[in-house]
Amino acid sequence: MTTTHDGGNGGSQPPVDLSDPRLSRFDIVKEGLRRDDIEIVTYESQFPGVNSKAEKRVVRNIAILLIISGLAGLAFVVFYIVWPWEFKLGDTKSDYFTPILGVSLAIALFGLGLAILAWAKKLLPHEVLIQHRHDGGATPDEQLLTGQTMVYVAEELGVQRRPLLKGAIAIGLAPLGIAAAAPLIGGLIKNPHKPENGQNPPLFRTGFDPVANNGQLVRLTRDDGTPVRPEDVSTGGQMTVFPGIPGGATNEYADSPTLLIHLRPEDALVAREHADADARNKGSMFGDYVAYSKVCTHAGCPASLYEQQTQRLLCPCHQSQFMVTRNAQPIFGPATRRLPMLPLEVDSEGFFVAKSDFKDTVGPDFWERP
Amino acid sequence: MKRRKVDLAQAPADIARGVDERYQVATPLRAILNKVFPDHWSFLLGEIALFSFIVLLLTGTFLTLFFDPSMKEVVYNGSYTSLRGVPMSAAYESAMNLSFDVRGGLFLRQMHHWAALLFVAAIVVHMARTFFTGAFRKPREANWAIGVTLFLLGFLEGFTGYSLPDDGLSGTGLRIASAIMLSIPVAGTWISAAVFGGEYPGDLIIGRFYIAHVLLIPAILLALIAVHVGLVFKQKHTQWPGPMRTNTNVVGERMFPRYVMKQGGFFMSVFGVIALMAGLFQINPIWLFGPYSAANVSSASQPDWYVMFMDGLLRVMPNWQIYLGPYSIPPLFWPAVVGLGALTTVPMFYPFIEARRHKDKAIHNLLQRPRDNPERTAIGAMAFAFFIWATLMGGNDVIADKFHISLNAMTWSGRIGLLVLPPLAYFVAFRVCLGLQMHDREVLAHGVETGIIRRLPSGQFVEVHQPLGPTDDHGHPIPIEYGGWVVPKKMNRVGALAPAIKGFFFPVETPPEAPVSPGMPPVTGPDDREEITSGH
């Protein structure tokens, strides 16, 4: 290994005659560096001599790392093939399949990575080189030549001199651009206010709308479709109910999930007082039962945490809190609007039905919400 | 016919000559082989993002072979017994099968998710490095803007991927995304209807997010990453100030072999870390969340970490609705649309703002230590205080639960903290920078504190300082000018300790002389020091 301490700028050194047979390969490399404007400051072996004890030690370590990497890689393949991987419930060997794969692959990769790093950092000669940057633009001459060429090209086209072409390009290209964009944008556009099948647009309708149910009032059902009787919900209890229509509990009716709450008598008294004082919620409660839309008016998460003692309903996503006894008015958090109340009734068979759809629009707020 | 003798030793040279005659590669190839790269650990942060991205492409391609981006309802009948018979979307079912019925599928799914988290994290830390050291200054403003765009794209790519399995958490995330679209004034309902193909959730969104996640966004990411790295290559990397380093040169090592090998070894190590995490740490256990249902959500539902700042902003936003006659703007609009928009576009213009403020038109290839530009450092500290506090607020329910704090108190601390902490961070960072600057200057003027207290004949105690440079006739150090680089402040930084001897049980080599760095003059040995032999 050679140690070189070059004085000045790499470019200031005299060029080397490459045909000189006495040149070593390193001399040729140095000449290449010189032509690339690179100057060698330090280039020296990290070891005191050729085949030194320290060098052998590094080489041995790298070899060990590479062998570890290979063994771990082999282990990965073997475990991948032989380990029982098929999932079984409970504490089985298959639980360890993923950890074994991860650890064996990681060891293989770390081994290879450390081997390469050790090779580069411990074995290769230590080097410090200086390269010149050549920042800034080209020479003013070059800039002038290119700039004038570009201007001349524009002049050759002569758009400036030929106003008819200018106008014709605008008229010719604009529609083509719009034509390209039209199917893309037009295909995506969907009018959210357009009524569907003679019903309200889906934005303002839930599965409890009797119009979609051939005018029949919609029952409140559990997620398995069974209808709910008042005595199914114990005092102070709550239940998530869905519209009793085909697919009513699926995500097709994502705005329909409703929280049916059986209030304690003293709470129901306060709740009824507030509901009857409100034009929209008047008469919507059934006895001590009240039903609110579960879809938070803030960002649409299910506001599902009901605190019986304080009569608060909490949305777990952004912590809006609604007062159940006061028309579900928001009392804390980012929500601004109360949860819509579902008008309740019991049909002739004793099951809960919705007297009508929600009077307020369900779901997160938007610009044109009535 | 006699066969021509082939000179095997000469073959590579012949082939190389033939290639050069056709493609003229010799000169540019040598320039690449010889290109000098500066080295510092902080330059490798962006590499972590690049390597994670490669892992993402590899694992993601594997996942597409098994994933079915369809919202068609199916009934689960796979190996995970707890969910058998449950109706779910085909997307969720295929993600379940990937986790339970594809050999090694869970491992690759977890690798993909961990690599995604690491990708965005590395981008953020790399951006911080670039910002605090002033690496974004002329001529690198465009590359900074590309980097900011890469963060936004990474954010969107992560969110679309998070939505694909259609589990309980991802559906809730989609629901919030639809609410955010709805909150946009005037066009909100139209935008949401266009994206979801009607009312939320519809049956198109998984397919649309899928094509965005596996083709559109990755293609843009790949193109921008290529331009980003290409520009670093073309403009040459910035370097720290130091001995021999100037604004017009690069001091370092050649690209081949040393630099490339170090990069390769680092890639394998990053890859190994991702593999280890994927094997040992569970991420996104979709089988516990169940299929998405609009009626269900559990407490402590957090998005991936890089979305938490936005979720935190949504949580602490007061319920201020703006009413304009029959119309209104929901409070969701401000943090989610304006907030995210501002956080990802305003920083793009920072290089121009700073250059304009200081009327700085010069080219900067030397980095600045954060302390040397207190104003910029303070602005960055302010931005990160905001980001970190908002991220913490994204988990305010978990903090409230674990530490038994009132949830409402957490929300209020979030609101107050977002207003108070960033200015406080600005002030503290500014003062810390000035303090560090003063300490640097003090050491340069007086030398390093040795910890040796000397008692003078008059009874006065003084501490002996080790000057960093030459001294004048009275033994006082001649003040040294600050070079924009680390000032040694401890005796072992100037070589006062014996160099470490290699070898665990016995030395493998004779200890070399103490290294002499061009920037750091050697210390006078113990012989020159006067031993304290007596005292009163």
Side-chain angles (χ1 to χ4, degrees), chain A residues 29 31-33 35-36 38 41 43 46-48 53-54 57 76 79-83 85-89 97-103 105-107 109-110 112-117 119-122 124-136 187-193 202-205 240 242 249-255 257 294-295 298-305 312 314 316-319 321 330 332-337 363-370, chain B residues 30-31 34-36 73 79-82 100-104 106-107 110-111 139-140 172 175-176 179 182-186 189-190 193-194 197-201 208 235-239 244 246-254 257-258 261-262 264-266 268-269 271-273 275-276 278-280 292-301 311 314-315 317-321 323-324 326-332 363 365 396-397 407-408 411-412 415 503-504 506-509:
Chain A
V29 169
E31 172 63 9
L33 288 168
R35 291 188 185 186
D36 287 334
I38 297 167
V41 180
Y43 183 80
Q46 306 202 34
F47 306 103
K53 219 172 163 184
R57 185 184 146 99
F76 177 86
F79 282 124
Y80 184 82
I81 294 169
V82 303
W83 195 266
W85 65 275
E86 276 155 323
F87 175 77
K88 282 185 200 66
L89 210 60
F97 185 63
T98 301
I100 287 173
L101 291 189
V103 170
L105 185 62
I107 292 173
L109 291 167
F110 282 140
L112 179 58
L114 290 177
I116 301 174
L117 284 175
W119 196 325
K121 293 189 78 144
K122 299 269 167 85
L124 288 178
H126 176 68
E127 64 181 52
V128 175
L129 296 92
I130 301 180
Q131 181 165 31
H132 293 268
R133 276 188 190 266
H134 306 293
D135 266 330
L188 286 174
I189 286 179
K190 216 157 170 186
N191 185 349
H193 299 289
L203 258 181
F204 305 107
R205 174 168 57 86
T240 301
F242 304 89
T250 65
N251 291 336
E252 196 189 336
Y253 293 95
D255 277 347
K294 211 177 170 182
V295 184
H298 173 235
C301 293
S304 49
L305 304 181
R312 287 180 186 201
L314 174 82
C317 284
H318 306 108
Q319 290 89 42
Q321 291 161 29
F332 191 79
T336 50
R337 215 164 47 87
D365 239 340
F366 50 88
W367 173 252
E368 66 268 36
R369 178 182 297 284
Chain B
R30 195 191 65 236
N34 282 344
K35 189 178 171 60
V36 174
E73 193 175 278
S79 304
Y80 188 67
T81 33
S82 314
F100 289 104
D101 295 291
V102 174
R103 193 187 282 229
L106 179 64
F107 178 56
Q110 299 205 129
M111 251 180 121
R140 296 179 180 80
T172 307
R175 175 87 226 203
I176 297 170
L182 283 174
S183 77
I184 298 170
V186 186
T189 49
W190 289 80
E199 209 202 7
Y200 169 86
R208 284 184 179 173
Q235 296 184 315
K236 296 197 177 78
H237 206 288
T238 50
Q239 63 185 352
M244 298 178 291
T246 69
N247 204 27
T248 54
N249 72 10
V250 189
V251 177
E253 50 203 28
R254 287 168 302 155
R258 217 165 187 255
M261 281 180 77
K262 276 156 79 174
F266 189 48
M268 288 302 119
S269 308
F271 204 162
V273 169
L276 198 64
L280 297 183
Y292 171 59
S293 147
N296 296 327
V297 71
S298 57
S299 177
S301 24
D311 208 45
L314 296 191
R315 290 170 187 220
M317 177 73 194
N319 58 346
W320 295 336
Q321 184 127 350
Y323 295 97
L324 302 157
Y327 304 114
S328 66
I329 303 173
L332 199 56
I363 283 177
N365 294 317
N396 66 352
D397 52 337
L407 191 58
N408 296 14
T411 303
W412 270 109
R415 289 171 181 169
F504 193 80
F506 48 88
V508 293
E509 59 193 330

Side-chain angles (χ1 to χ4, degrees), chain A residues 71-204:
Chain A
L71 289 177
L74 197 65
F76 177 86
V77 176
V78 170
F79 282 124
Y80 184 82
I81 294 169
V82 303
W83 195 266
W85 65 275
E86 276 155 323
F87 175 77
K88 282 185 200 66
L89 210 60
D91 197 4
T92 63
K93 273 185 164 181
S94 67
D95 292 355
Y96 300 97
F97 185 63
T98 301
I100 287 173
L101 291 189
V103 170
S104 54
L105 185 62
I107 292 173
L109 291 167
F110 282 140
L112 179 58
L114 290 177
I116 301 174
L117 284 175
W119 196 325
K121 293 189 78 144
K122 299 269 167 85
L123 208 54
L124 288 178
H126 176 68
E127 64 181 52
V128 175
L129 296 92
I130 301 180
Q131 181 165 31
H132 293 268
R133 276 188 190 266
H134 306 293
D135 266 330
T139 61
D141 273 3
E142 281 292 311
Q143 290 176 346
L144 180 81
L145 290 171
T146 310
Q148 290 300 321
T149 308
M150 289 196 312
V151 174
Y152 185 73
V153 167
E155 275 174 5
E156 274 178 304
L157 290 171
V159 179
Q160 286 294 332
R161 282 183 293 116
R162 302 174 178 122
L164 180 60
L165 274 181
K166 210 193 273 183
I169 287 171
I171 294 166
L173 289 188
L176 193 61
I178 296 168
L184 182 70
I185 297 168
L188 286 174
I189 286 179
K190 216 157 170 186
N191 185 349
H193 299 289
K194 197 167 139 192
E196 272 177 25
N197 313 325
Q199 301 158 5
N200 278 337
L203 258 181
F204 305 107

